[in-house]
């Protein structure tokens, strides 16, 4: 198939582009590089020996997007492009709603006009809000608790309405839990700009000596060791989930929602210890206060994806940490960042 990948230069996008190319698909990426570098795609070309058609462009630039759909014929779209920092979304809600929601509306209009009705959308477990009714199933009532999460929930609503209005749509909504790790080559991986918000990239930078210590956000939760529990999932397993979803919607109309997680929760201290083991480096930590808005426990019931898609996550926490470390060690400052940036 010929697939348009929005946000394909980013963390999950680049790993999925690699997998799509390996599966024999033709890929065009549109990305404004607001949170990524084109180097990721160059490295994917190097790893696969295949060419990516790259369009540097913004989903908010309707004319650019329309021109792309006029120039090329796509069978399907995988839509990663979005802003994703929770704290930033609370400070700049309008920017988040515009970028994520309006960007998606532009995309959907161009798709409909071009007669492209197949879409895989990056949603997030964040749509479940603070629900601790674990394991989380797709039918759990949604209740995002921050602007970022609400952009995802609103987009899910838009896709639901669109699918109800026009039965030609074939939409897969994928709710990712906590994507981590990197391609086994260590050539591509997550490259956060500034201070990482998420645990794994932060821990990796401590292991690399870029930061002094990890702050554990609370140790008084009602969990086995008192620290927060999450469902970390290897990014290559996630990439495989996109292929499975694309195959599923190739000949099924309607909208489908799947959790992509392992079904297993790991605590902050378990992650620190697994990363220490994988890297062979000490990872000092101190316990600090809880981060506001954090749930104690979040993990998926991923059985719907297994039943419908035949997909399940295969890599464990130790492999997530060792692949993440291989990337971090080989690229201590990411793709193009300079020390200290
Ligand atoms: P990322 O920031 O690495 O990738 C997103 C990409 O989209 C970037 O390359 C960025 O430059 C691009 N982009 C953003 N706005 C754009 C726009 N208006 N036009 C064109 N390109 C634009 O993030 P990621 O971790 O790869 O996440 C991909 C998707 O998955 C996002 O939608 C994110 O919300 C969702 N998601 C991520 C996580 C996670 O923990 N990484 C969890 C759940 C859901
Ligand atoms: C965060 C986002 C969520 C997003 C998800 C995946 C918030 C409130 N939520 O969730 O919307 O979908 O990432 O991208 O930001 N932790 C520490 N020290 C750190 C960093 C994290 O102890 O320096 C803890 C957290 O309290 C949590 C766990 O580690 O218990 C995982 O945190 P994180 O990686 O930020 O993911 P989420 O909290 O699941």
């Amino acid at each position: 198939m010929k697939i348009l990948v929005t946000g394909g230069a980013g963390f999950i996008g680049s790993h999925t582009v690699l997998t799509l190319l390996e599966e024999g698909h033709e890929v065009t990426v549109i990305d404004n590089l607001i949170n990524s570098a084109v180097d990721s795609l160059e490295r994917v070309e190097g790893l696969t020996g295949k060419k990516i058609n790259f369009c540097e462009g913004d989903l908010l630039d309707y004319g650019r997007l329309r021109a792309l759909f006029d120039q090329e014929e796509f069978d399907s779209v995988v839509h990663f492009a979005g802003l994703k920092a929770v704290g930033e979304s609370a400070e700049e809600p309008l920017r988040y709603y515009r970028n994520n929601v309006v960007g998606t509306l532009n995309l959907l209009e161009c798709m409909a006009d071009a007669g492209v009705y197949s879409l895989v959308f990056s949603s997030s477990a964040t749509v479940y809000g603070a629900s601790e009714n674990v394991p989380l199933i797709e039918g759990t009532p949604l209740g995002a608790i921050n602007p970022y999460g609400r952009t995802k929930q609103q987009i899910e609503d838009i896709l639901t309405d669109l699918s109800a209005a026009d039965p030609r749509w074939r939409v897969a909504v994928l709710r990712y839990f906590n994507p981590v790790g990197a391609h086994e080559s260590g050539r591509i991986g997550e490259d956060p700009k500034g201070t990482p918000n998420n645990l794994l990239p932060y821990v990796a930078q401590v292991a690399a000596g870029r930061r002094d210590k990890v702050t554990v956000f609370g140790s008084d939760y009602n969990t086995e060791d008192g620290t927060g529990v999450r469902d970390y999932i290897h990014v290559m397993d996630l990439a495989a989930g996109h292929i499975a979803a694309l195959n599923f919607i190739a000949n099924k109309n309607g909208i489908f929602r799947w959790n992509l997680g392992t079904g297993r929760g790991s605590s902050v201290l378990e992650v620190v210890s697994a990363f220490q083991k994988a890297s062979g480096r000490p990872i000092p930590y101190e316990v600090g206060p809880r981060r506001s808005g954090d749930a104690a426990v979040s993990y998926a019931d991923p059985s719907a994806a297994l039943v419908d898609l035949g997909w399940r996550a295969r890599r464990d926490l130790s492999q997530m940490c060792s692949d993440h470390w291989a990337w971090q060690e080989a690229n201590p400052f990411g793709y193009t960042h300079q020390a200290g940036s």
Side-chain angles (χ1 to χ4, degrees):
M1 288 195 285
K2 180 150 181 186
I3 295 167
L4 175 64
V5 180
T6 76
F11 169 43
I12 306 169
S14 55
H15 290 78
T16 304
V17 167
L18 181 143
T19 308
L20 286 166
L21 291 171
E22 281 177 343
E23 291 282 316
H25 299 295
E26 224 183 295
V27 175
T28 293
V29 167
I30 182 167
D31 199 305
N32 64 0
L33 305 179
I34 188 93
N35 197 37
S36 54
V38 75
D39 309 51
S40 63
L41 296 177
E42 288 164 8
R43 291 189 184 191
V44 168
E45 289 184 334
L47 287 166
T48 58
K50 295 189 176 160
K51 187 94 196 76
I52 298 160
N53 182 15
F54 177 61
C55 166
E56 185 171 345
D58 196 315
L59 295 191
L60 295 178
D61 182 349
Y62 190 79
R64 183 94 168 93
L65 198 55
R66 182 162 276 274
L68 182 62
F69 277 89
D70 286 345
Q71 284 154 15
E72 295 186 43
E73 272 181 31
F74 301 111
D75 297 300
S76 190
V77 176
V78 184
H79 178 31
F80 294 103
L83 297 172
K84 62 165 185 176
V86 172
E88 193 179 65
S89 79
E91 287 156 19
E92 302 178 71
L94 296 183
R95 180 167 165 244
Y96 268 68
Y97 284 110
R98 177 171 294 281
N99 191 79
N100 293 3
V101 180
V102 177
T104 302
L105 288 173
N106 286 347
L107 177 69
L108 295 171
E109 283 177 7
C110 287
M111 288 176 69
D113 287 347
V116 182
Y117 293 105
S118 163
L119 175 77
V120 178
F121 171 62
S122 299
S123 190
S124 168
T126 197
V127 297
Y128 296 121
S131 171
E132 288 186 3
N133 206 354
V134 288
L136 291 155
I137 55 168
E138 288 81 353
T140 304
L142 305 190
I145 55 168
N146 54 60
Y148 161 67
R150 282 190 280 270
T151 68
K152 293 291 177 193
Q153 206 175 321
Q154 289 184 0
I155 295 166
E156 288 203 17
D157 284 344
I158 291 166
L159 294 171
T160 302
D161 290 343
L162 188 59
S163 306
D166 186 340
R168 287 174 293 184
W169 282 92
R170 291 170 279 125
V171 178
V173 170
L174 303 182
R175 294 180 183 151
Y176 314 151
F177 277 67
N178 291 63
V180 297
H183 185 253
E184 63 204 3
S185 64
R187 293 284 296 155
I188 57 172
E190 184 169 10
D191 181 15
K193 289 185 177 155
T195 308
N197 298 309
N198 297 121
L199 181 65
L200 244 291
Y202 200 101
V203 166
Q205 291 190 6
V206 172
R210 264 182 81 175
R211 303 189 188 273
D212 293 345
K213 55 178 180 292
V214 178
T215 303
V216 176
F217 296 150
S219 63
D220 55 351
Y221 286 109
N222 187 17
T223 60
E224 214 157 291
D225 64 20
T227 68
V229 168
R230 294 292 182 275
D231 188 341
Y232 298 94
I233 175 168
H234 197 294
V235 65
M236 292 306 294
D237 280 329
L238 211 52
H242 291 72
I243 306 293
L246 269 175
N247 290 339
F248 184 94
I249 59 170
N251 51 23
K252 275 213 184 57
N253 295 51
I255 181 165
F256 308 91
R257 301 161 193 86
W258 291 290
N259 285 340
L260 295 187
T262 62
R264 182 184 178 283
S266 305
S267 73
V268 175
L269 294 183
E270 271 180 82
V271 169
V272 169
S273 154
F275 209 95
Q276 199 155 272
K277 207 162 165 194
S279 63
R281 301 281 182 95
I283 302 181
Y285 69 86
E286 68 176 11
V287 175
R290 291 181 177 194
R291 180 172 65 181
S292 91
D294 267 357
V297 180
S298 165
Y299 58 91
D301 177 342
S303 55
L306 180 61
V307 171
D308 297 341
L309 306 175
W311 172 91
R312 67 146 57 97
R314 302 191 175 275
R315 297 159 177 89
D316 63 8
L317 183 62
S318 129
Q319 190 167 354
M320 296 178 215
C321 293
S322 51
D323 288 342
H324 206 115
W325 176 242
W327 151 255
Q328 175 73 50
E329 204 180 17
N331 307 271
F333 297 100
Y335 290 109
T336 53
H337 302 185
Q338 296 303 308
S341 67

